[in-house]
Amino acid sequence: MPTLQHRLIRSALASLVKPLRGAPVAIPTLRRLMNVGARVFYPPRDVETEKFRIGQIPAEWIIPQVADHNKVILYFHGGGYAVGGTQTHRSLVGAIAKKTGFCALLPEYRLAPEDPFPAAVQDAVQCYRWLLDTGHAPEDIIIAGDSAGGGLSLACMLDARDKGLPMPSASFLIAPWVDLTISQSSVYENIDKSPILYLREMHAWAKNYAGDFPTDHPLVSPLFADLTGLPPLLIQVSDTEVLLDEDTLLARRAAEAGVEVDLRVWSNLMHVWHIYWRYLSHARGAIDEIGTFVAKHSPAEVTRPIAQPA
């Protein structure tokens, strides 16, 4: 059952976004609002950050004080392919990096509507190729993401596979958005249970992201892709989640394609509840689950503490 803290956070979020349920909010305005709101979230202690660029892609290293510098989580943030970035996700990725003992790479891939598909996938594959080119072995890389970033993680691996690149050791996906046709029943059955997702934005953002491509294109909606050859997957989702049906179907189709997949369905929680790890025991439990999965598929060899990020 959700804790009192979860109920309070859900209620507070519902109150904050209630004014947004009228006329549509311009995406630039929503980006600014999210960045301001993200100021209350900050990484755990003993985690350093460093901004840099991969070509023209802004990115941030997130490095625990005690970490294996050979091992990297390449993390793609959520936000409907329209909002989000290092500021909104630094805290969550820092908590995951600290739990796993990995360094994390958090890129700011191009967003729609300014840069529709395939821009985000191109940026994601460029970041993965950069890790390989700079000496990281594929078995030392985990690809991960939440919501739209989870869908992008799958698209990145599928495109990398088709380009002949080696697969990472594993991938964990937090409530991934993998069906931009928005055709699964749980979207409509659970939409009123979500304080932050609603249909108007989902339809608009799907259309903005797909651009000139159909929303069932396999790299736009990886639910419809051939998943053969992907590495082991961990999928976490809540049973009151609008994305529940597509994530459940994704797990089944991955297993049918011969992919090792672990679907974990949590009870009665918000979309990407992990963000509230500082306040929710369920969020910390889900991050612990990620830590166990990562250790199983790419055991970390913790090395020296660091004084400065590298």
Side-chain angles (χ1 to χ4, degrees):
M1 292 295 293
T3 62
L4 173 61
Q5 291 92 333
H6 183 274
R7 292 195 295 271
L8 290 172
I9 291 173
R10 184 197 290 268
S11 178
L13 282 173
S15 297
L16 286 171
V17 303
K18 187 176 180 179
L20 305 181
R21 289 188 179 269
V25 178
I27 287 175
T29 300
L30 188 56
R31 289 172 184 163
R32 289 193 294 270
L33 290 173
M34 288 187 64
N35 285 336
V36 170
R39 292 175 184 173
V40 302
F41 299 101
Y42 46 93
R45 295 177 57 188
D46 304 323
V47 172
E48 302 281 351
T49 64
E50 179 184 337
K51 293 183 180 295
F52 74 112
R53 286 182 175 270
I54 299 172
Q56 296 302 310
I57 305 169
E60 190 165 295
W61 277 116
I62 299 176
I63 306 177
Q65 188 175 27
V66 178
D68 185 334
H69 289 209
N70 293 316
K71 296 184 180 290
V72 177
I73 295 171
L74 174 56
Y75 194 96
F76 299 113
H77 67 82
Y81 296 107
V83 300
T86 55
Q87 191 160 328
T88 59
H89 281 70
R90 184 181 297 126
S91 172
L92 170 59
V93 178
I96 293 172
K98 186 171 182 179
K99 171 57 64 174
T100 59
F102 278 41
C103 299
L105 176 59
L106 178 59
E108 292 194 328
Y109 55 87
R110 285 173 288 174
L111 298 174
E114 298 91 340
D115 293 293
F117 176 84
V121 178
Q122 291 170 343
D123 288 355
V125 173
Q126 182 178 341
C127 290
Y128 181 53
R129 191 188 295 271
W130 180 84
L131 285 173
L132 297 173
D133 290 345
T134 53
H136 293 278
E139 59 266 25
D140 288 335
I141 301 172
I142 301 280
I143 291 181
D146 64 276
S147 197
L152 182 57
S153 297
L154 284 170
C156 174
M157 291 185 290
L158 292 167
D159 196 40
R161 178 200 65 189
D162 293 345
K163 286 180 166 59
L165 297 177
M167 287 292 93
S169 66
S171 175
F172 62 86
L173 310 172
I174 300 172
W177 190 20
V178 294
D179 180 8
L180 273 66
T181 70
I182 314 179
S183 58
Q184 306 302 317
S185 297
S186 62
V187 174
Y188 303 93
E189 293 168 355
N190 293 336
I191 195 68
D192 291 334
K193 301 175 184 178
S194 171
I196 58 174
L197 291 180
Y198 38 110
L199 282 173
R200 183 184 64 210
E201 277 66 26
M202 290 184 71
H203 281 289
W205 292 356
K207 181 178 179 181
N208 287 343
Y209 177 64
D212 295 331
F213 291 83
T215 53
D216 63 353
H217 186 288
L219 294 184
V220 173
S221 295
L223 180 64
F224 305 110
D226 174 7
L227 304 174
T228 304
L230 291 183
L233 303 177
L234 169 66
I235 303 170
Q236 295 177 319
V237 66
S238 168
D239 61 1
T240 54
E241 164 78 71
V242 298
L243 306 180
L244 173 64
D245 285 353
E246 63 196 73
D247 289 352
T248 303
L249 184 55
L250 172 70
R252 186 171 80 234
R253 289 182 176 174
E256 290 171 352
V259 177
E260 179 183 342
V261 58
D262 186 359
L263 173 67
R264 297 298 180 101
V265 180
W266 290 65
S267 177
N268 199 25
L269 296 170
M270 295 177 291
H271 181 59
V272 193
W273 68 96
H274 309 56
I275 290 174
Y276 310 100
W277 63 268
R278 197 177 296 276
Y279 312 106
L280 299 181
S281 59
H282 292 87
R284 294 189 292 275
I287 291 173
D288 287 345
E289 194 171 81
I290 289 170
T292 299
F293 173 80
V294 168
K296 175 182 177 182
H297 293 286
S298 186
E301 300 174 1
V302 175
T303 58
R304 64 192 186 286
I306 59 171
Q308 298 293 331

